[in-house]
Amino acid sequence: MHELQTPRKTALQVSSPIVSQPFTKITSSTNPAVKMLKSLHRKKVRGETGLFMAEGGRLVHQGIDGGWQADYIAITAEGAGRPHIRDLAERARTAGAKVLEVPERILSQITGKDNPGGIAAAFQQRQQSLDELKSGKNSLWLALYEVRDPGNLGTILRTADCAAASGIILLGNCCDPFSIEAVRASMGAVFDIPFASSDFDTFNSWRQSRSARLVAASVNGTQPHDRIAYGNQVAILMGNEQAGLSEQVEAACDHLALIPMRENADSLNLAQATALMTYEAWRSQGYPGASTNS
């Protein structure tokens, strides 16, 4: 009987190994760690520290499950009382994160949100090189040229993830995918979709080396977006929200696609237009990677 009880006890200890240990309690917003976490709203600080902020149990859970390294976890006393939130904090601490228990008002200051969901995490950033982006029988990349709105970027990350895209390439002076606004809008896709940064000429040489077609959405397009031959290796190019694409960049494309709109209509939001182009390219490939495939 004693021999049967011992492994059962050990299993319980493994599932919550340090649950009895308290977290580091901080009550002052002038604490150095708190000040650093609050400053992650600034791109300069994110660049210097290599960290970015994710808020709420869903995003933190996705980051930790995806193997992203959390350096700091900030949690409220109420959050610590919720089993799933406390389990996230314990898992992060086991992996090396510093766990800070802070008042609700301080967590709101860290996230810039009135209802931050009881937990936030500062994760280490990741980016890939162009050559590290995956490719295969059917490859679909999204190339974003000098996109400036983090909400658009986060939404496009989410679209790319849903459409099983091979990766996103940020061209030129794009906004930061690790800003809290972009991470929030991505709904966790920032942890799932690989992305790289490049100048246009390097990217164009890279896609040519993979025999990938370059298809851009443009007001100068000559064919509707649903009549383009996208092919099994394709990069969808989307331009800046205000200026679109330069003549030089458009001249390098294999196809310029026109998204049909009602006469006298203004324009589609960049994230909406990207979704239309992405899903049409994915459809033309037969939706590889879709969960409904038989």
Side-chain angles (χ1 to χ4, degrees):
M1 200 61 187
H2 176 70
E3 291 178 352
L4 292 174
Q5 289 175 343
T6 301
R8 190 179 304 129
K9 199 180 215 179
T10 303
L12 286 172
Q13 289 172 346
V14 168
S15 64
S16 51
I18 50 176
V19 72
S20 62
Q21 296 184 18
F23 300 131
T24 301
K25 291 189 178 182
I26 294 175
T27 58
S28 172
S29 59
T30 61
N31 176 274
V34 170
K35 290 173 69 175
M36 186 278 294
L37 293 175
K38 290 193 294 184
S39 70
L40 290 178
H41 285 267
R42 305 205 310 267
K43 184 176 181 179
K44 178 182 178 182
V45 177
R46 292 194 299 274
E48 291 172 348
T49 62
L51 299 176
F52 71 100
M53 183 62 61
E55 66 195 13
R58 185 178 183 276
L59 291 187
V60 175
H61 185 277
Q62 200 160 342
I64 291 174
D65 270 9
W68 288 60
Q69 177 61 47
D71 279 13
Y72 289 89
I73 297 285
I75 186 171
T76 63
E78 181 184 0
R82 301 179 203 164
H84 69 288
I85 295 292
R86 186 175 184 96
D87 179 64
L88 286 174
E90 297 285 8
R91 287 174 60 194
R93 179 160 64 178
T94 300
K98 298 182 178 72
V99 181
L100 314 177
E101 185 176 315
V102 300
E104 183 81 19
R105 61 178 175 80
I106 290 183
L107 191 59
S108 293
Q109 291 171 11
I110 289 172
T111 61
K113 192 174 181 181
D114 290 337
N115 183 20
I119 188 171
F123 286 99
Q124 293 179 11
Q125 298 176 23
R126 289 184 192 172
Q127 275 205 65
Q128 298 186 8
S129 68
L130 286 173
D131 288 335
E132 288 174 322
L133 293 178
K134 62 182 179 181
S135 59
K137 182 180 178 181
N138 292 287
S139 295
L140 169 59
W141 299 280
L142 302 187
L144 307 178
Y145 185 78
E146 298 193 351
V147 171
R148 301 295 175 81
D149 186 294
N152 277 338
L153 179 53
T155 302
I156 291 169
L157 286 169
R158 188 176 178 185
T159 297
D161 188 28
C162 289
S166 304
I168 284 183
I169 301 102
L170 306 175
L171 300 174
N173 187 23
C174 281
C175 59
D176 186 1
F178 293 117
S179 70
I180 197 163
E181 297 86 359
V183 172
R184 191 179 287 157
S186 80
M187 292 295 289
V190 69
F191 296 115
D192 293 331
I193 188 76
F195 52 89
S197 296
S198 175
D199 61 83
F200 179 78
D201 289 341
T202 301
F203 155 73
N204 196 36
S205 297
W206 172 83
R207 68 93 184 175
Q208 289 172 337
S209 71
R210 280 154 178 74
S211 301
R213 289 181 178 149
L214 184 59
V215 180
S218 170
V219 295
N220 299 314
T222 56
Q223 287 183 290
H225 76 295
D226 60 347
R227 297 180 188 174
I228 296 289
Y230 289 94
N232 291 331
Q233 306 285 333
V234 61
I236 302 298
L237 178 62
M238 304 299 294
N240 173 272
E241 291 91 341
Q242 282 77 41
L245 298 168
S246 68
E247 290 183 8
Q248 178 185 2
V249 167
E250 288 196 348
C253 296
D254 296 303
H255 300 286
L256 297 181
L258 182 67
I259 298 176
M261 290 188 292
R262 177 185 61 81
E263 187 177 2
N264 298 325
D266 185 10
S267 64
L268 284 167
N269 168 272
L270 175 64
Q272 294 171 323
T274 303
L276 288 172
M277 292 288 294
T278 302
Y279 268 81
E280 185 56 36
W282 193 31
R283 182 202 64 77
S284 75
Q285 294 179 344
Y287 298 115
S291 60
T292 55
N293 278 359
S294 58

